[in-house]
Amino acid sequence: MLVSSSEGETRVAILEDGQVTELYFDRKFKQSIVGNIYVGKVENVLPSLDAAFVDIGVEKNAFLYINEIVLDMDFEESETKGKKIQHILKPNQLVVVQVTKDPLKSKGARLTTFISIPGRYLVLAPYNDGIGVSRKLSDNERDNLRQIAKEIKPKDFGIIVRTAAKFADKNTLKKDLKQLLKIWSGIQRKIAKATKPALIYDEQPIVIRLLRDLFSDDFKTIHVDSKEVKKEISRYFTNIGVRFSDIRLHISPEDLFEDFNVNEVIESAIQRKVWLKSGGFIVIDYGEALTAIDVNTGKFTSNKNAAETILRTNLEAAEAISNQLRLRDIGGLIVIDFIDMSSEKDKQKVLEKFRQCLDKDKTKTEVLNFSKFGLLEMTRKNVSDGILGTLCKPCPYCQGTGFVKSEETIKYDIERKIKTILTKNPEKAFFIKLNTAIACQIIGQGGRNLKAIENLTRKHLVIKGDDNIQMDELIVVSKGSYKDVEEASKPFKVGDCLELFVEETYLHNSEDALSRIDGYIIQIIGGKKYMGKRVKVEIKSVLKTSAIAEII
């Protein structure tokens, strides 16, 4: 485990055999609220959805479904069939809820009233009376731990024995349970005092939470770059009775993640295309309803037949996809389009390989068989926004579609807007600024297109380019009389002295040269011999889109 922390961000990476398999980020202004317990106030009850919106004191109201509402203490038998949400919850009613899923995009957080408080070895369920044991343990281990759980379980409480309890004895489990009951007692006191939406229980910081949920005997080393974090981890291990001494403080001037090549992995994890070792690649596209993953042979060629090449690529892709699901924390519905295989035997090999790779994933997954169209459908529990939602935001130009309008399309759009502005306003003259590339197209060669717009609208128009303006942006700088606009649009006047960079030869006079200021062309008399240099000039005349200057 690598833990890199700074004032505003904590980053955690899990490495297996030197390869980054999982990434976690916790930021000061974008912290996960999963696991937090709140007293919330019911805002709206939606009978048509059998759900309610609940104010828990965060930006967006959270969502509570009827099947996430505790009706009585008998957890196993308290089914909500036949009961309506409006008979259970009323507006302004206070309810104790726990967050099961962070707010995602436009959706609020998901809630449950089935409160659970996780410890290192046990999970306490105050509104349950059952016993659960991790299915990742062997049958014999599960039977032994279930028996211990029956002996220590308090009345009217449910407990779940976690995978980490594999080697724990009865006294260790009792100690963990005692701590959880103490936490619950404190939560109850806060609930009793609450009269409005409030945070009652704040989940552990990300490092401690991950150690609690992920740490096992498989971990060999923990690297940290903060003395405080090292102390925090050591204190946690002492409190739970775990002896683990290999916590190394990173003292190199090089960034911890850089030393282990994690930054490079993070960069690749936000890319659309992932290359396979064979030369094939997978493409990951995120949609509103699902994530689509496509497999391609790419550069991969083989001396063997096509079926063998396809099978090898798909098997390699199966492992890569399972790794990317964990690395990017992709959740929800996922559709994978492996390369078409005609052999049912080959399909089963790929499916078996994929399921085998998913066994390493601690997040719940479900995989169906290949559909008749050759697609593989699966779901993975969706708790967070994933790495893309954490590190990125939608592109302001394409709004997340991945496409932007071409310059030609923008040119026609802007041209229509200009004509509308000119014809709808009574003023006789206008000064408009556009992105430099678009301004050049609107003006046209020799100003022909600009002249055509003026003739059509019977208005005087001055257009200037500005590299700092977005491609599709249009700014009306000035409007009024011809004189007003001309004065406003001139970047300088006759007699001004400037220092200019001589850019290119003037085509109509081989001895002269050109320079530009914000798209405004300046003809420099006798400037050719100063090509590529900076010279001081004096402006001799100023025209509509250009000026003439002499070297001082």
Side-chain angles (χ1 to χ4, degrees):
M1 178 183 283
L2 310 180
V3 182
S4 177
S5 56
S6 61
E7 185 180 349
E9 180 187 51
T10 299
R11 302 179 297 166
V12 181
I14 309 296
L15 279 67
E16 296 175 8
D17 299 323
Q19 301 297 312
V20 181
T21 57
E22 296 175 46
L23 291 165
Y24 300 91
F25 301 86
D26 190 53
R27 290 180 171 176
K28 189 174 181 180
F29 299 106
K30 195 178 181 181
Q31 292 182 319
S32 171
I33 60 173
V34 171
N36 287 2
I37 299 173
Y38 296 85
V39 165
K41 184 178 76 172
V42 178
E43 288 290 318
N44 297 311
V45 178
L46 309 172
S48 59
L49 297 177
D50 256 344
F53 282 113
V54 180
D55 176 11
I56 58 173
V58 298
E59 185 179 353
K60 295 176 184 175
N61 286 338
F63 208 60
L64 177 62
Y65 281 105
I66 190 171
N67 60 358
E68 293 290 348
I69 299 174
V70 175
L71 295 184
D72 54 53
M73 291 299 296
D74 190 358
F75 186 86
E76 297 292 336
E77 298 174 5
S78 63
E79 296 295 331
T80 55
K81 288 182 180 178
K83 296 186 181 293
K84 299 294 183 182
I85 191 83
Q86 62 269 32
H87 300 149
I88 303 169
L89 298 178
K90 303 294 180 186
N92 298 319
Q93 178 181 343
L94 294 180
V95 289
V96 180
V97 293
Q98 188 170 31
V99 178
T100 58
K101 184 186 293 187
D102 277 323
L104 302 177
K105 297 177 182 175
S106 61
K107 299 175 183 177
R110 285 279 294 274
L111 304 174
T112 184
T113 62
F114 294 103
I115 306 299
S116 62
I117 306 167
R120 171 61 181 158
Y121 304 108
L122 301 173
V123 176
L124 182 68
Y127 300 127
N128 193 344
D129 196 27
I131 293 174
V133 182
S134 170
R135 294 185 181 277
K136 293 183 179 179
L137 299 170
S138 68
D139 290 343
N140 189 46
E141 289 167 339
R142 295 182 75 227
D143 290 341
N144 291 338
L145 289 169
R146 187 180 295 277
Q147 183 58 41
I148 296 175
K150 286 180 181 178
E151 294 172 13
I152 66 173
K153 187 185 84 66
K155 187 180 179 183
D156 294 334
F157 282 90
I159 57 175
I160 299 169
V161 184
R162 310 187 72 180
T163 308
K166 181 175 182 178
F167 300 112
D169 57 22
K170 185 176 180 178
N171 287 335
T172 302
L173 297 184
K174 283 178 74 174
K175 183 181 177 182
D176 200 38
L177 178 59
K178 183 180 178 180
Q179 183 63 28
L180 293 174
L181 288 169
K182 184 179 178 180
I183 293 172
W184 175 240
S185 180
I187 290 172
Q188 284 184 304
R189 287 194 295 272
K190 290 183 179 181
I191 291 171
K193 295 178 182 178
T195 58
K196 60 181 182 180
L199 174 63
I200 300 299
Y201 170 77
D202 197 359
E203 250 285 31
Q204 297 273 20
I206 186 170
V207 177
I208 302 303
R209 188 168 71 244
L210 290 173
L211 289 173
R212 181 193 69 199
D213 296 341
L214 301 179
F215 186 80
S216 68
D217 292 338
D218 294 332
F219 280 84
K220 298 295 184 288
T221 314
I222 298 176
H223 296 265
V224 300
D225 58 8
S226 161
K227 291 181 180 179
E228 289 73 21
V229 173
K230 184 180 179 182
K231 289 178 183 177
E232 189 180 1
I233 294 172
S234 298
R235 192 162 47 244
Y236 172 73
F237 282 141
T238 300
N239 290 339
I240 64 172
V242 170
R243 292 184 179 180
F244 186 84
S245 58
D246 201 0
I247 307 171
R248 302 182 187 179
L249 181 63
H250 182 75
I251 55 175
S252 166
E254 190 79 50
D255 175 66
L256 173 61
F257 272 34
E258 195 68 41
D259 258 6
F260 286 84
N261 297 319
V262 180
N263 289 333
E264 185 179 334
V265 175
I266 293 172
E267 284 300 315
S268 67
I270 60 177
Q271 301 299 318
R272 182 170 174 258
K273 184 182 288 188
V274 179
W275 286 99
L276 305 176
K277 291 179 182 178
S278 65
F281 61 90
I282 61 174
V283 177
I284 303 174
D285 287 313
Y286 301 88
E288 191 71 24
L290 55 82
T291 300
I293 302 176
D294 186 38
V295 181
N296 299 272
T297 53
K299 305 172 186 175
F300 180 52
T301 56
S302 172
N303 295 328
K304 299 181 180 181
N305 60 42
E308 182 65 22
T309 299
I310 290 170
L311 177 60
R312 285 184 59 188
T313 305
N314 282 340
L315 288 172
E316 188 181 355
E319 185 173 359
I321 291 169
S322 68
N323 291 339
Q324 290 297 318
L325 295 180
R326 292 173 66 192
L327 189 63
R328 301 176 184 226
D329 195 20
I330 299 172
L333 179 60
I334 301 159
V335 177
I336 306 168
D337 185 11
F338 284 101
I339 305 168
D340 286 342
M341 295 171 284
S342 56
S343 167
E344 287 298 323
K345 186 178 178 181
D346 286 353
K347 288 181 182 179
Q348 287 308 307
K349 284 182 181 178
V350 172
L351 183 57
E352 186 179 332
K353 173 73 172 179
F354 187 53
R355 284 178 169 158
Q356 182 184 341
C357 293
L358 287 176
D359 286 340
K360 300 176 185 176
D361 196 342
K362 293 178 176 65
T363 301
K364 184 180 178 182
T365 59
E366 183 178 352
V367 183
L368 302 181
N369 289 318
F370 279 96
S371 72
K372 66 177 182 179
F373 297 117
L375 301 175
L376 194 66
E377 296 175 29
M378 68 169 290
T379 59
R380 187 173 184 271
K381 190 176 180 182
N382 197 344
V383 175
S384 72
D385 256 343
I387 190 171
L388 205 66
T390 302
L391 302 184
C392 306
K393 66 177 184 178
C395 170
Y397 295 98
C398 71
Q399 304 303 319
T401 64
F403 296 92
V404 293
K405 290 180 179 179
S406 67
E407 289 185 7
E408 186 179 21
T409 300
I410 294 173
K411 179 242 182 181
Y412 289 126
D413 286 345
I414 294 291
E415 202 172 79
R416 284 189 286 269
K417 288 178 183 177
I418 290 173
K419 290 175 182 176
T420 300
I421 291 169
L422 268 56
T423 53
K424 282 193 173 183
N425 286 277
E427 288 82 5
K428 297 296 182 183
F430 297 81
F431 171 27
I432 292 175
K433 275 193 174 183
L434 306 171
N435 176 275
T436 304
I438 302 302
C440 291
Q441 293 196 44
I442 295 291
I443 293 170
Q445 190 173 9
R448 292 175 187 172
N449 198 50
L450 176 62
K451 193 66 181 174
I453 295 173
E454 289 181 318
N455 290 338
L456 180 67
T457 60
R458 296 184 178 181
K459 298 289 177 74
H460 177 63
L461 178 60
V462 176
I463 291 176
K464 294 288 174 63
D466 187 336
D467 290 337
N468 296 318
I469 295 177
Q470 293 185 16
M471 292 287 285
D472 58 352
E473 192 175 0
L474 180 154
I475 300 174
V476 179
V477 180
S478 176
K479 58 183 178 178
S481 67
Y482 177 90
K483 185 177 180 181
D484 293 337
V485 168
E486 282 298 306
E487 287 302 314
S489 64
K490 290 176 182 177
F492 33 70
K493 58 184 183 294
V494 173
D496 284 350
C497 293
L498 308 171
E499 186 175 317
L500 302 176
F501 179 75
V502 183
E503 297 180 22
E504 60 184 90
T505 304
Y506 183 45
L507 293 177
H508 301 293
N509 188 330
S510 60
E511 298 301 316
D512 296 348
L514 299 179
S515 184
R516 291 177 175 81
I517 296 180
D518 294 333
Y520 202 91
I521 298 171
I522 302 170
Q523 179 185 348
I524 303 172
I525 304 299
K528 180 184 177 182
K529 56 187 175 183
Y530 298 100
M531 192 70 62
K533 298 179 181 179
R534 299 191 72 82
V535 295
K536 286 186 177 180
V537 300
E538 180 182 344
I539 301 297
K540 290 300 181 181
S541 67
V542 180
L543 306 174
K544 190 174 179 181
T545 58
S546 62
I548 298 175
E550 289 183 352
I551 296 173
I552 300 174

